[in-house]
Amino acid sequence: MATRRKTRAPTVGFVSLGCPKAASDAEQILTRLRAEGYEISGSYDGADLVVVNTCGFIDAAVEESLDAIGEALAENGKVIVTGCLGAKKDAAGNDIVRAVHPKVLAVTGPHAMQEVMTAVHQHLPPLHDPFVDLVPPQGIRLTPDHYAYLKISEGCNHRCTFCIIPSLRGDLVSRPIGEVLREAEVLAEAGVKELLVISQDTSAYGVDVKYRTGFWGGKPVKTRLYDLCKELGKLGLWVRLHYVYPYPSVDDLIPLMAEGRILPYLDAPFQHASSRILKLMKRPASAEKVLDRIAAWRREVPDLTIRSTFITGFPGETEAEFNELLDFLDEAQLDRVGAFSYSPVEGAAANELPGALPEEVREERKARLLRHQEDISTQRLERKIGRRIKVLVDDIDEEGAIARSEGDAPDVDGLVYVTDGHDLEIGEFAEVSVIDCDVHDLYATLAVPK
């Protein structure tokens, strides 16, 4: 008697934690899973096994990832772990994930799609059906249909003393520019309206390959951020840059913003303003040069939005050096600011520095910095009241449309609440008139047609 052919597609549950770079890794894995005929489950119950994409950057993220693995094991029992936590070892050199959760099926590090697929194949072989194994050209994405992350490189060549990312993700490896531009084109053809360019160090794109010339559309194009942005600007999308170190080469991007080719937005993680602390952090910048550069950028693009992040309570930080940071904020007039109290991540060189500060001091300075920035952010937003701006609609609810302006990245920045935008559609651009603001968000009504 012939055996019945297995017809139910194997199903994989997926949990993704961490930063946009981790989300981009997750999208690649999900795309490959769907390409091979796997179903993706939104619950533990419906899954034959679960993949947990982890973060391992700071202690809180490690705990969250370990908890997520534990929950997946309890709810499903068959778990494959990938992501940054998978690359972390304890003091004895043992795998942290297996030390806490020895029953996981496999553990891989970040950007390890092939290793994840090998583990999935081993524990849940695919059911191949060439008539069913269909994936949209843009792949499987975790973001809404109207925006997408575009990862241009992996790893980082810096050795910032508070960071262990290079030990988790390795040195800088830039993607071929033709490959990046092809992905962007496919996303545009799929209806994406906004590309968020990400990497560990976006400004350094191409450094590892000495800005090698690639090819796109039959033309030579250098593997360099300026050239990439110039080409992306031809797609008619919002192009938003994240994780941009304030190198002099960034100055070249400002004219592209002035011409409207890319958004007048820079996410530049300055981290501190004290020259001594920056040196201890091994950061490639000085506060004075940054302030001069910001002033020059805004002379050319007055509507430039600058977001940054800072660390408070770094080992040895004095009250005077913290006040330097507050003075820097007054001078820089940044639009958006995030802050982290220093976290002594295992393996970070900064842990060996003298002058470790108590947690309550680190947290108090973080709270003080954010309070100090609130007035600055509010004043920056108040300048937009009465103006007409373009927004991209993210959602619609009973109170109107929830959108974002050119100065607002998803998840990390503010929103624009369009009170009479009920008839707008998600993913649609709209012209609105700003009528009010609070610390983070704008309030607007639909603009009268010109």
Side-chain angles (χ1 to χ4, degrees):
M1 177 174 148
T3 58
R4 271 185 84 185
R5 184 173 178 266
K6 181 183 174 186
T7 56
R8 186 180 76 82
T11 303
V12 177
F14 208 97
V15 178
S16 187
L17 307 172
C19 65
K21 276 89 71 181
S24 181
D25 289 347
E27 289 171 346
Q28 292 178 33
I29 296 168
L30 287 166
T31 296
R32 181 69 176 274
L33 285 167
R34 287 293 289 119
E36 295 189 9
Y38 289 92
E39 294 293 334
I40 308 300
S41 171
S43 70
Y44 295 121
D45 293 340
D48 297 305
L49 62 76
V50 176
V51 175
V52 180
N53 188 29
T54 61
C55 180
F57 184 39
I58 61 175
D59 292 346
V62 171
E63 290 303 317
E64 181 186 16
S65 293
L66 290 173
D67 288 347
I69 296 166
E71 180 180 322
L73 283 169
E75 296 290 332
N76 181 277
K78 299 179 73 175
V79 177
I80 292 169
V81 176
T82 187
C84 284
L85 185 59
K88 289 195 77 170
K89 308 292 183 185
D90 61 20
N94 299 315
D95 188 18
I96 285 178
V97 172
R98 288 198 183 279
V100 178
H101 297 298
K103 293 184 179 179
V104 296
L105 300 177
V107 179
T108 80
H111 54 93
M113 179 181 69
Q114 192 52 55
E115 290 90 333
V116 172
M117 293 307 302
T118 298
V120 171
H121 293 158
Q122 180 182 348
H123 298 284
L124 185 65
L127 173 65
H128 180 65
D129 185 341
F131 299 101
V132 175
D133 301 348
L134 301 176
V135 173
Q138 72 272 23
I140 306 300
R141 295 189 290 112
L142 300 177
T143 52
D145 291 341
H146 59 284
Y147 68 82
Y149 292 104
L150 182 68
K151 184 158 63 170
I152 62 174
S153 65
E154 287 288 357
C156 183
N157 286 344
H158 295 297
R159 293 298 182 264
C160 300
T161 57
F162 55 82
C163 182
I164 58 170
I165 292 297
S167 67
L168 299 177
R169 289 184 170 263
D171 288 337
L172 177 72
V173 179
S174 299
R175 291 179 63 195
I177 192 162
E179 180 184 301
V180 174
L181 289 169
R182 176 57 186 154
E183 181 179 341
E185 183 181 58
V186 168
L187 289 168
E189 290 168 352
V192 166
K193 303 290 180 61
E194 176 182 12
L195 291 176
L196 300 110
V197 178
I198 59 169
S199 67
Q200 210 60 48
D201 178 4
T202 298
S203 310
Y205 178 63
V207 166
D208 56 313
V209 294
K210 297 181 171 60
Y211 307 114
R212 176 190 302 147
T213 298
F215 288 89
W216 171 243
K219 299 183 304 180
V221 185
K222 283 189 175 296
T223 308
R224 186 171 56 185
L225 185 59
Y226 172 83
D227 300 76
L228 174 65
C229 289
K230 189 174 179 181
E231 295 300 320
L232 291 175
K234 297 175 182 178
L235 295 175
L237 310 177
W238 273 9
V239 178
R240 189 182 302 278
L241 301 182
H242 284 277
Y243 316 120
V244 179
Y245 277 72
Y247 302 136
S249 60
V250 175
D251 298 350
D252 298 335
L253 302 175
I254 303 302
L256 297 179
M257 297 180 186
E259 295 164 10
R261 292 172 182 257
I262 63 176
L263 290 182
Y265 180 99
L266 277 178
D267 173 4
F270 298 135
Q271 305 299 11
H272 213 279
S274 159
S275 58
R276 190 183 77 88
I277 296 296
L278 285 168
K279 190 173 181 180
L280 289 174
M281 289 179 169
K282 292 191 175 177
R283 295 292 290 178
S286 72
E288 295 78 14
K289 290 179 181 175
V290 166
L291 288 171
D292 289 344
R293 190 155 284 133
I294 289 173
W297 294 342
R298 284 194 168 137
R299 280 194 297 272
E300 192 163 355
V301 183
D303 286 336
L304 176 64
T305 295
I306 304 176
R307 116 171 303 277
S308 192
T309 50
F310 297 91
I311 295 173
T312 62
F314 191 79
E317 181 191 62
T318 65
E319 184 69 19
E321 286 166 333
F322 175 72
N323 285 325
E324 262 188 79
L325 178 49
L326 299 184
D327 291 342
F328 173 87
L329 293 178
D330 289 334
E331 185 86 18
Q333 292 288 296
L334 303 176
D335 300 86
R336 306 289 189 184
V337 166
F340 302 90
S341 60
Y342 174 74
S343 176
V345 179
E346 186 175 339
N351 298 339
E352 307 304 316
L353 293 173
L357 299 175
E359 183 176 3
E360 57 267 25
V361 173
R362 290 180 263 143
E363 291 292 338
E364 187 273 335
R365 287 181 181 173
K366 171 187 168 183
R368 209 177 346 148
L369 182 149
L370 292 175
R371 283 197 305 273
H372 188 90
Q373 175 63 28
E374 280 187 357
D375 287 342
I376 299 170
S377 293
T378 304
Q379 289 165 18
R380 296 288 297 175
L381 289 179
E382 284 174 343
R383 297 168 65 222
K384 299 183 180 181
I385 295 174
R387 291 181 54 185
R388 183 185 182 115
I389 64 172
K390 186 178 183 179
V391 298
L392 180 59
V393 178
D394 279 345
D395 201 3
I396 307 287
D397 65 14
E398 64 278 2
E399 296 181 6
I402 302 169
R404 289 179 292 107
S405 73
E406 293 183 345
D408 299 307
D411 299 329
V412 294
D413 292 328
L415 298 167
V416 182
Y417 292 95
V418 187
T419 55
D420 58 350
H422 301 84
D423 294 331
L424 295 173
E425 294 185 3
I426 294 174
E428 178 184 358
F429 286 114
E431 295 283 333
V432 302
S433 296
V434 180
I435 57 174
D436 201 1
C437 76
D438 57 25
V439 176
H440 303 292
D441 306 316
L442 294 173
Y443 298 86
T445 55
L446 292 172
V448 178
K450 290 182 178 178

